[in-house]
Amino acid sequence: MQVPTNTFKQALTGQKPIWGCWAGFASGYATEIVASTGFDWLLIDGEHAPNTLPSILAQLQAVAPYSTAPVVRSVNQDPALIKQLLDIGAQTLMIPMVESGDQAAALVRATRYPPQGVRGVGGGVVRATRWDGVDNYLNKAHESLCLIVQVESPKGVEHVEAIAATDGVDAVFIGPADLSVGMGYPGNPTHPEVQSAIEMVIETMHAAGKPVGILAPVEEDARRYQQLGCQFIAVGIDISLLRQGAIGTLGRYKELSVERSSRTY
C-alpha cells in the first residue's frame, strides 16, 4: 500500500481556484453531508469548533470516500497535538496565529520525523500508516503532507516574508477577522488598512512562489480576493449555511429581517 495522495496539495500546483467550506458542527454526519455537495476542500475546525481528536477522526473517515479534500485546523501549535493529528491521518494541517519564521520552522519540524524533525513514531498503532500497511511510510510521509500556516495578526504580516521563505511551509492562509481585531478595527475586515495588509501578504506569497488562501463567506469578497490572487478560498461555513437556510425558509411564512453573511467569520 502506498501513502494516500494528498489531493489538496496536488490541486495547489494548478492554476484553478479551489473553493472550500468551513466544517464547524464537529460531526462526521454533518461533515459528510457537506462533502457530498462537491466543495473542493473542507476545513475541519479544531480551533473554534467543539472538536476533539476522536471527532476529527470521525470526520476524516466520513470525508474519505468523497472527492472533497479535508484540511484540519489545530487549536494551537503544540507539537504533541500535531503529532496526534498526523497519526489519525490528517495530511493537510492549518495552524493558527503564526507570527515569525522561527515559529513556522518549528511547525515544519513538528511534521517531520527525525533527523529533519521531532515527530514521534507511531508505527502500526496509527491510521496514518494504515496500521503498518503503507510501504516505507517513515521515509515518504513528508511528501504527502501539506502545511498551511495562518497569518492573522499585525506581527504575522510584519514577518510574512520570513514565514513564506520557510522551507516546508506549503501555503499561507489569511485570517481577516483576527487581523482586523489586531489592527484595531474589530468586525471590519474591509477597512482600507486591513485590506492593504491583506494585499501585502498576497503579494509577498506570490513573490515567494507559494499559494495563499482566505476565508470569504460574502461572494463579493471572495471574487475580489480571487482577483487579487488567492488560490484557495473558503466561501461557506456549514453552521452559517444552516442558519441562513432556516431563516430563509421561515421567512416565507413569517416576517423576518434578512440576515447578511458575516464578513468576520
Side-chain angles (χ1 to χ4, degrees), residues 48-81:
H48 292 296
N51 268 305
T52 61
L53 204 66
S55 70
I56 292 173
L57 170 59
Q59 290 169 85
L60 290 171
Q61 292 170 322
V63 171
Y66 300 92
S67 60
T68 301
V71 177
V72 176
R73 179 161 73 167
S74 174
V75 68
N76 57 31
Q77 301 178 22
D78 183 0
L81 177 58

Side-chain angles (χ1 to χ4, degrees), residues 69-144:
V71 177
V72 176
R73 179 161 73 167
S74 174
V75 68
N76 57 31
Q77 301 178 22
D78 183 0
L81 177 58
I82 289 172
K83 171 180 62 179
Q84 289 183 301
L85 292 172
L86 294 176
D87 281 352
I88 63 173
Q91 289 185 300
T92 301
L93 293 180
M94 183 184 292
I95 310 297
M97 205 57 73
V98 177
E99 298 184 316
S100 70
D102 288 342
Q103 280 186 336
L107 292 170
V108 173
R109 290 193 295 273
T111 68
R112 303 292 198 268
Y113 291 116
Q116 289 78 24
V118 297
R119 180 182 176 187
V121 178
V125 177
V126 301
R127 179 174 180 261
T129 70
R130 294 308 184 265
W131 305 279
D132 260 352
V134 173
D135 181 50
N136 201 23
Y137 179 82
L138 296 181
N139 291 314
K140 293 182 177 180
H142 67 280
E143 297 173 3
S144 65

